[in-house]
Amino acid sequence: MLKIQNIHTRYGSVPVLKNISLHVDRGEIVCIIGANGAGKTTLLSTISGIIRPYQGSISFMDTLIHRMSPDRIVKMGLSQVPEGRQIFSPLTVLENLEIGAFHRRKRDGKKKIRQDLEQVFELFPRLRERSGQLAGTLSGGEQQMLAIGRAFMARPSLLLLDEPSLGLAPKLVETIMKTITILNRQGMTIMLVEQNARKALSISHRGYVLETGRIILQGPAADLSEDAEVRRAYLGRDYSSVTERS
Ligand SMILES: Nc1ncnc2c1ncn2[C@@H]1O[C@H](COP(=O)(O)OP(=O)(O)OP(=O)(O)O)[C@@H](O)[C@H]1O
Ligand SMILES: [Mg+2]
């Protein structure tokens, strides 16, 4: 579904991504783990067209997308939930969700969009209760739910999530992770960037480890959880709670 070949990305003259190749197959949850500054967000922004790679290629559903505008890439079915939420603060929860479905209005019609809205409210009942509230006044966790809900409203076939658990209480992290698996079971393919390696690996099929702009390890999530280097660098000492995907 997504195929990245030998991507190099720079900010000015500073290289950030160095010869990255990876793929995501339809139906998978694939996680990217790595420390602060490893290049995870840069990788997602390169995929979604916000940053242009200076070398290499990216194809999505057999179409080259690395020279396309972010808008066209979204229309092809690839949506990103950016790091730090980035919801529209002066708009209400409902308006934010409607904006998510904006480019589908003609294609799918109001009824289909209403059904999807209903599903977002079922996944996150808190958003239903607060549908008329200004998004900027939501709590951090509620804003994160809204950001995921808004991306869902675009009905992407591939959803890119940048640190969805950042700064959330453990219980809410569980809710977000559960929601990701539910969306995946419904047929959404997911690429997940996380510093919380334990959580990410527990719900993913496969993973890649990014270190200073290079992929240093890759494999099935269960194998990565067992890898000595991953355990030392990303799982800390208490790795007993890494569970296999159910
Ligand atoms: N717009 C920019 N201009 C210049 N350098 C940048 C820019 N954005 C990111 N960088 C640098 O590129 C490197 C990778 O940043 P990136 O945001 O991709 O890391 P990350 O893995 O997402 O980190 P984090 O876990 O902290 O979110 C960092 O050294 C960062 O300082
Ligand atoms: Mg980041």
Side-chain angles (χ1 to χ4, degrees):
M1 174 175 245
L2 180 76
K3 195 166 173 144
I4 301 183
Q5 283 177 303
N6 309 107
I7 278 291
H8 293 254
T9 301
R10 292 172 170 170
Y11 290 113
S13 61
V14 182
V16 177
L17 300 182
K18 300 156 191 160
N19 206 28
I20 301 274
S21 296
L22 62 82
H23 69 277
V24 179
D25 294 330
R26 191 180 289 277
E28 281 192 306
I29 301 179
V30 172
C31 66
I32 310 287
I33 55 183
N36 290 122
K40 304 179 298 296
T41 297
T42 304
L43 175 60
L44 292 194
S45 302
T46 307
I47 296 168
S48 58
I50 297 160
I51 300 172
R52 289 269 159 97
Y54 79 91
Q55 214 177 301
S57 69
I58 305 175
S59 72
F60 174 58
M61 314 246 252
D62 299 322
T63 303
L64 288 173
I65 59 166
H66 58 274
R67 292 187 205 289
M68 283 187 188
S69 67
D71 192 48
R72 263 186 84 191
I73 294 172
V74 170
K75 282 186 184 138
M76 286 182 67
L78 195 160
S79 287
Q80 180 176 358
V81 178
E83 196 177 6
R85 291 133 203 179
Q86 297 183 21
I87 46 152
F88 300 109
S89 309
L91 302 182
T92 66
V93 167
L94 183 61
E95 285 163 344
N96 267 274
L97 293 171
E98 284 169 349
I99 281 175
F102 186 75
H103 72 275
R104 302 170 47 204
R105 281 182 317 170
K106 283 205 184 100
R107 188 184 73 209
D108 294 342
K110 278 189 185 154
K111 190 170 165 216
K112 181 81 192 58
I113 290 171
R114 251 201 321 271
Q115 284 169 356
D116 286 345
L117 191 60
E118 188 53 35
Q119 199 187 343
V120 170
F121 287 151
E122 271 165 33
L123 288 169
F124 300 116
R126 188 75 69 87
L127 294 182
R128 189 198 304 274
E129 288 165 25
R130 296 178 179 265
S131 62
Q133 185 172 331
L134 294 184
T137 64
L138 294 174
S139 76
E142 290 164 351
Q143 290 187 16
Q144 189 62 291
M145 295 179 205
L146 180 57
I148 295 174
R150 191 182 63 189
F152 171 83
M153 289 301 290
R155 274 285 179 185
S157 37
L158 176 61
L159 180 64
L160 311 180
L161 291 162
D162 197 352
E163 311 241 14
S165 77
L166 193 69
L168 301 184
K171 205 171 156 214
L172 194 49
V173 173
E174 288 303 325
T175 307
I176 300 282
M177 294 294 155
K178 215 169 103 195
T179 306
I180 294 170
T181 53
I182 291 171
L183 294 178
N184 177 248
R185 288 194 186 127
Q186 288 177 354
M188 203 176 279
T189 306
I190 288 163
M191 190 166 165
L192 173 67
V193 161
E194 266 290 345
Q195 273 191 58
N196 190 334
R198 179 178 294 120
K199 285 276 178 270
L201 289 169
S202 73
I203 64 163
S204 297
H205 299 94
R206 285 190 304 118
Y208 293 87
V209 179
L210 197 60
E211 206 172 273
T212 55
R214 292 179 203 279
I215 288 169
I216 56 151
L217 265 177
Q218 55 180 293
D223 293 358
L224 289 180
S225 317
E226 295 300 321
D227 183 273
E229 179 59 20
V230 171
R231 287 184 162 203
R232 189 192 60 76
Y234 301 103
L235 301 179
R237 257 178 292 168
D238 174 29
Y239 46 73
S240 53
S241 64
V242 175
T243 50
E244 282 191 27
R245 220 177 161 272
S246 53

